[in-house]
Every structure is written in C-alpha cells, then in structure tokens.
Amino acid sequence: MKKIGFLSFGHWADHPSYLTRTAGDTLLQSIDLAVAAEELGLEGAYFRVHHFARQLASPFPLLSAIGAKTTRIEIGTGVIDMRYENPLYMVEDAGAADLISGGRLQLGISRGSPEQVVDGWRYFGYSPLEGESDADMGRKKAMEFLERLDGNGFAQPNPNPMFPNPAGLLRLEPYSQGLRERIWWGAASNATAIWAAENGMNLQSSTLKFDENGKPFHIQQAEQIRLYKAAWKKAGHERDPRVSVSRSIFAIMNDQDRLYFGGQGKGADSFGYIEPTQRAVFGRGYAAEPDQLIRELLEDEALQEADTVLLTIPNTLGVDYNIHVLSAILEHVAPGLGWR
C-alpha cells in the first residue's frame, strides 16, 4: 500500500490552450482540484512554491482554504525555499494552516533551488552572513523553524503586558501539536538526505537529484532513500519516517491522452546542470497504456522504497482533465502495482 497524492506547480499564463490564465484561476482551481481529489480517494494535495514566476508562491492561504473545504486529504508543499522565509513568521502561518485542517499539514521545505531572479532572496531582505553560502542560510533557517515548532517558550514576556500572559517564557502562537513530525526535507543529494534523517525530518525526493555516480536516476534515488533510512535508524528516532518520490505518470486511456502525452513514454533519463558546478540527473516520465505502465513502474527501484508517490499534474489543463488523469492511475495502474 502507498499513499498517492498529486503535485501541482500551479502554472498560469494568458494562453489560448490554458484553463488557468490568471493567478485567480490557478488558486481557485487548486482548491477545487484538492476537493475533487479527496472525493476520488487520493491521500495528498501538494503544491510547489516558486517566487517571481507565474506559479504558486504563497502557500499558506491556499493550504488553509483547502484545509477548510476538505476533511481527510493531506495538504502540503514540495517544497518551500527556506532562503526566502522568516522562520518565526512561518511557524505562525504553518500552525494556523495545520489547525484549520485538523492536523493534516505535510510541509516540504528545502535550502532552495535556482529561481527566476538572481539571488531573489535578497529582495525579501535576506543575505548570507560572511562566510556562509545561500544554501547555508537556507539550512540555518530550516533549523530555526524546526526549533520553534516544538512549542517551548523562548521569548521574555513584557512585565506590563496588554493581555495576561502564561507563566514563563512565551512561545509562538498558534501552536499546533504534532506539526514538527510532519516536516519534510527536499533532498537533492545523499548527504542532505542523511542530514534530514539526523534532524528528524521526513524525506521528499523529486524527479531530479545531483548525479553522484552516473547510474540511472531511479537507482541513484533508491540508494539515496536507503541511506536516509539507515541514518534515521542510527539516529534512534522513536517514530517511523516517511519518504515520498515524485513522478510524471500518465495512463493512455483515450485519444486526448495520446495527443497530450503519447510521446513522453519513449523518453529516458537526462543529465545536465541546474547549478554551474553541479551535474544533475533528471528522471524520465512515464506514459503508456496501463498494462505497459505497470511493467515499467515495477522496475523503478525508488518507487519500491517510498511509501508516498506524488503524481505531477498538468494543472493548466483544468480540474476535470486532471481528475481524469488521476483516476486512471488509481483505477487502472495502482492495483497492478500493489499500491491499492
């Protein structure tokens, strides 16, 4: 059994083939899609966060709205770039969204990836300290975020407050118990996956990772997950970790599917550079009729290692078509893989 969710990048553009032509279209359709996905039986609605782009950027209003209109589905991100964040403000936003949803928030964070704007976090008022890289800054903010999620008081109260205070140091409010255990780290390397395990975060691994040995993507990703699980066990955490992988998987059920995605099933892994000195491996997409999809996916080692699969979706094609895409996987592919 696996948890199955969708991952939306939340694109919009004034393009005649798009059903999401404005930011409003994308936000409202994201809510509708999450509601419909819950009715369909999916376990997760996840959203990518990008700044300075015509994509979803501020996740907490969206996650809160979805939490208020659903009752069961997990809601989350994949991922929030911590270089842009105020960790304390984020604790408050995340706590509110989690309480609104009744404890269903699954928050994916990371040190960040290349963005639309050079050093975009500087426009948000953040800069690395001397001797730090922007990646160091992102990880340091992540650690502060985790520390403040524990609910322990740390701020000295005003001796003459406007409202009565509880005894002792004050914590950030609203506090949501259990949220600390539902934070995920988006790891692009084996080392950061191990670091995430040591710090008690679940693991998100996407459709790319840093190339560390030249092997096929799914094998490198499976190796990363095994290293993470070993590090988690060594750290002695009391709970079991969770691991998600993202995949582009399309079941060809009709001519429309074949028109949109028929050519994607013949692809292969690719190698390139997402940072000037860092070679990455990009995983292939899957598109075929259900029986062929099942055969191909059974050979994906990383899928076997993960407990959660996030299906990337073409959100610009609208809610109805995306529900068709997701229902085809649930009904015709997942049972053959033992996911249902």
Side-chain angles (χ1 to χ4, degrees), residues 233-251:
K233 183 177 181 180
K234 183 178 179 180
H237 302 301
E238 295 182 359
R239 65 181 177 88
D240 292 331
R242 287 184 60 185
V243 176
S244 74
V245 295
S246 303
R247 289 292 183 273
S248 297
I249 304 173
F250 299 98

Side-chain angles (χ1 to χ4, degrees), residues 98-272:
D98 195 44
L99 291 169
I100 288 170
S101 72
R104 289 181 282 129
L105 193 63
Q106 302 285 341
L107 205 61
I109 63 176
S110 83
R111 63 93 164 175
S113 60
E115 288 279 332
Q116 298 297 103
V117 172
V118 175
D119 295 347
W121 26 269
R122 294 188 185 276
Y123 295 95
F124 280 57
Y126 304 117
S127 298
L129 298 178
E130 185 176 353
E132 281 187 342
S133 68
D134 61 297
D136 295 331
M137 178 178 69
R139 280 187 283 268
K140 186 169 70 175
K141 288 186 175 192
M143 294 306 297
E144 184 176 7
F145 174 64
L146 294 176
E147 181 180 3
R148 299 313 178 198
L149 279 176
D150 63 14
N152 293 324
F154 64 93
Q156 188 68 40
N158 187 337
N160 299 296
M162 182 177 296
F163 306 105
N165 279 326
L169 299 177
L170 300 184
R171 69 186 182 189
L172 292 167
E173 301 289 356
Y175 169 67
S176 186
Q177 187 172 5
L179 178 57
R180 170 62 178 84
E181 296 184 352
R182 286 178 274 115
I183 305 303
W184 304 60
W185 185 259
S189 70
N190 293 346
T192 50
I194 292 169
W195 177 82
E198 292 170 344
N199 287 285
M201 288 182 279
N202 298 317
L203 176 66
Q204 286 185 341
S205 194
S206 71
T207 52
L208 69 86
K209 72 177 295 293
F210 293 153
D211 176 28
E212 302 191 58
N213 54 31
K215 295 178 183 178
F217 169 76
H218 74 101
I219 294 177
Q220 291 201 49
Q221 190 175 52
E223 292 172 348
Q224 179 195 48
I225 295 170
R226 294 182 193 116
L227 288 169
Y228 167 82
K229 290 179 178 178
W232 184 278
K233 183 177 181 180
K234 183 178 179 180
H237 302 301
E238 295 182 359
R239 65 181 177 88
D240 292 331
R242 287 184 60 185
V243 176
S244 74
V245 295
S246 303
R247 289 292 183 273
S248 297
I249 304 173
F250 299 98
I252 305 301
M253 306 299 298
N254 55 38
D255 289 340
Q256 186 179 28
D257 299 333
R258 191 167 288 105
L259 175 65
Y260 284 146
F261 304 110
Q264 292 193 14
K266 299 176 182 179
D269 294 345
S270 59
F271 293 81

Side-chain angles (χ1 to χ4, degrees), residues 218-219 222-223 226 297-306:
H218 74 101
I219 294 177
E223 292 172 348
R226 294 182 193 116
L297 292 170
L298 284 172
E299 297 178 359
D300 189 316
E301 289 189 16
L303 279 176
Q304 314 313 316
E305 293 286 343

